[in-house]
Amino acid sequence: MIENKKRRPTRRLWVGKVPVGGGAPITVQSMTNTDTRDIEATVAQINRLTKAGCEIVRVAVMDQEAASALSKIKARIAVPLIADIHFDYRLALAALKAGIDGLRINPGNIGSRERVQRVVKEALARQVPIRIGVNAGSLAREEMVKYGGVTAEAMVASAKKHIRILEDMNFTLIKVSLKAAEVPLMLAAYRQLADEIDYPLHLGVTEAGCGLEGAVKSAVGIGILLAEGIGDTIRVSLTGDPVQEVRAAYAILGALNLRRRGIELISCPTCGRCQIDLEMVAARVQAGLEDIDKPIKVAVMGCVVNGPGEARQADVGVAGGPGFGVLFRRGKPIKKLKEAELASALIAEVKR
Ligand code: SF4
């Protein structure tokens, strides 16, 4: 267990009703991949994300039409909404007026001091936090020249430059991210900045990739930092359905005992002793229990010899035998079943 006292102390801010930093639970974020102007599709995706446990959702705001869709989207969702804006201060103003709960914009990239001031004033009046999102892939030339390329030092210097702009305007509702596609680079950047500031940090490995590879990359980058007590909110970036990002985020938090959502499924890797189609049983159990958000440990094990013992800490489980299986509760067998009945019996037992 990563104890709260070992987490890096940070300031608390609020994204809508969701606290971030200051010892609050580490929140799970995601970003829609719909066209924000398509209100129906965006609302549908946000509501799917919410059902999967996503607590803060970000949408890209590319133009005024997208900005004016924000208030309509907000009216139909139950989670705080963050507008992701690049360069155009007018879009930031429009998003704030639409009632968004957070902004992701880099103040150094939106032009004159007067423009930044207008955005900051509006955000402050509404107590809307701003995330400074430094990305290794889009560092300013100035920092790259000074620090010899895309380095952790250059990323930290860039973040500090944007932070200073906001602080000079007495704005401190700040979160920061330092994303990179390379895990060692993002680790170094976050560690350095964590030593220098006490604003909450939003963790992520950018452009992590697809499926398993992307999830593993994110788990390594985000997981290492979380294990060191760094990080207040996380976003796993995966190519494809963002609901997978939320599942991966909870798997990371669950693996570190930081937070858990849904049942915990333990399944054995199988070996020569396994005489049932364990992969199929595990997949059915996982799908059947997807909507259950209770702290229950469920085991699906390949054999009765070692299975129940190996999964002793599970609340309920099944262990396979030659064409049959045993349903067990806390390591003790309670019923013998045909292989075909195993998944449904286990699901029924959990629901019971
Ligand atoms: Fe092998 Fe049985 Fe262990 Fe699964 S539970 S890995 S089948 S010994």
Side-chain angles (χ1 to χ4, degrees), residues 62-349:
M62 309 265 286
D63 57 22
Q64 282 295 341
E65 197 186 333
S68 53
L70 294 172
S71 57
K72 296 184 191 103
I73 293 169
K74 250 201 82 81
R76 292 170 57 189
I77 61 170
V79 284
L81 192 65
I82 295 184
D84 191 294
I85 291 161
H86 288 280
F87 310 117
D88 192 340
Y89 81 105
R90 287 164 304 184
L91 294 179
L93 288 176
L96 286 162
K97 283 181 184 144
I100 46 107
D101 304 288
L103 262 186
R104 184 264 159 141
I105 193 165
N106 290 344
N109 299 346
I110 57 175
S112 67
R113 189 181 162 80
E114 189 256 327
R115 288 178 174 182
V116 181
Q117 188 97 57
R118 284 180 64 188
V119 173
V120 166
K121 199 176 147 206
E122 201 65 42
L124 196 58
R126 294 164 194 268
Q127 292 289 290
V128 168
I130 294 178
R131 170 160 67 91
I132 293 167
V134 172
N135 198 316
S138 55
L139 269 183
R141 229 187 108 65
E142 183 192 330
E143 278 94 24
M144 298 227 280
V145 170
K146 190 163 172 197
Y147 295 94
V150 183
T151 62
E153 290 73 21
M155 291 173 71
V156 169
S158 170
K160 282 162 64 182
K161 177 182 78 185
H162 294 296
I163 291 171
R164 226 171 296 120
I165 294 171
L166 294 180
E167 285 178 339
D168 283 350
M169 296 178 182
N170 294 321
F171 188 90
T172 55
L173 303 172
I174 300 171
K175 277 181 287 158
V176 187
S177 64
L178 296 162
K179 299 188 188 180
E182 266 182 63
V183 171
L185 177 61
M186 67 74 97
L187 290 177
Y190 275 109
R191 283 173 180 147
Q192 276 183 33
L193 192 66
D195 279 344
E196 297 189 41
I197 61 163
D198 65 354
Y199 293 118
L201 294 177
H202 162 127
L203 304 184
V205 178
T206 195
E207 293 120 29
C210 309
L212 183 65
E213 205 177 316
V216 169
K217 208 167 164 186
S218 291
V220 173
I222 295 172
I224 287 175
L225 291 168
L226 289 177
E228 293 173 6
I230 297 172
D232 302 278
T233 179
I234 65 172
R235 189 237 169 155
V236 173
S237 304
L238 294 175
T239 308
D241 183 357
V243 167
Q244 297 305 328
E245 300 185 347
V246 177
R247 298 216 173 104
Y250 279 104
I252 296 169
L253 294 172
L256 290 167
N257 283 344
L258 281 164
R259 286 188 73 185
R260 193 162 302 288
R261 184 181 163 85
I263 58 134
E264 183 180 359
L265 182 67
I266 305 163
S267 59
C268 84
T270 78
C271 68
R273 288 189 195 92
C274 183
Q275 293 179 65
I276 58 165
D277 185 350
L278 191 88
E279 204 179 327
M280 166 92 85
V281 176
R284 278 198 196 146
V285 170
Q286 183 150 43
L289 298 176
E290 211 169 70
D291 290 337
I292 295 186
D293 184 18
K294 289 266 156 49
I296 301 173
K297 250 187 200 179
V298 179
V300 179
M301 311 303 281
C303 74
V304 278
V305 184
N306 293 342
E310 286 179 10
R312 199 167 288 126
Q313 286 167 7
D315 297 299
V316 283
V318 287
F324 70 96
V326 173
L327 184 67
F328 61 85
R329 202 187 286 143
R330 296 210 172 79
K332 294 211 169 61
I334 51 169
K335 211 192 269 176
K336 196 169 163 181
L337 296 154
K338 290 191 191 120
E339 180 177 348
E341 301 165 341
L342 282 175
S344 53
L346 183 52
I347 293 166
E349 180 69 16

